[in-house]
Amino acid sequence: SSSRLLPAKTLVSAKWTVFGRSGHLRINSKDNELRFDGFPAADFDRLRDTLKRLFSVDLTKHSMSSAGSSFGLTDIEGGNMLFRQCILEDADEEGEEFEPRDGDEMMS
């Protein structure tokens, strides 16, 4: 077991994903990222409120695909691969052209 201390003023963001039955939390500081897993999926609201109250950090939800299918365009950001989600808007037919929207990212 190891521990790390991060001064509260260095925390910049937090991301939440649910994969299977467990929740995963990523805490980003100015210099690195810490990952925690094994949370009950229902803990999002409690974690969001605690991070906001104690550290003034917003916890955002991020979708993750487990189907193995292409979910959009990929990009590398800060040492992480991001999948930019493609959303078909007003598209009724498969194969119709679509573009990813900024802000709809998923973490690898």
Side-chain angles (χ1 to χ4, degrees), residues 8 45-59:
D45 290 332
R46 190 164 52 181
L47 284 168
R48 181 195 62 211
D49 296 345
T50 301
L51 287 168
K52 186 66 169 176
R53 182 172 38 86
L54 296 178
F55 305 108
S56 299
V57 170
D58 291 321
L59 179 60

Side-chain angles (χ1 to χ4, degrees), residues 58-97:
D58 291 321
L59 179 60
T60 58
K61 288 184 179 180
H62 280 259
S63 302
M64 184 176 282
S65 171
S66 62
S69 58
S70 177
F71 220 28
L73 301 176
T74 58
D75 197 4
I76 303 293
E77 185 175 295
N80 295 307
M81 181 178 278
L82 292 180
F83 294 89
R84 302 203 183 276
Q85 185 176 8
C86 293
I87 298 175
L88 293 172
E89 294 188 49
D90 302 325
D92 295 327
E93 294 190 31
E94 197 172 316
E96 191 167 329
E97 290 292 321

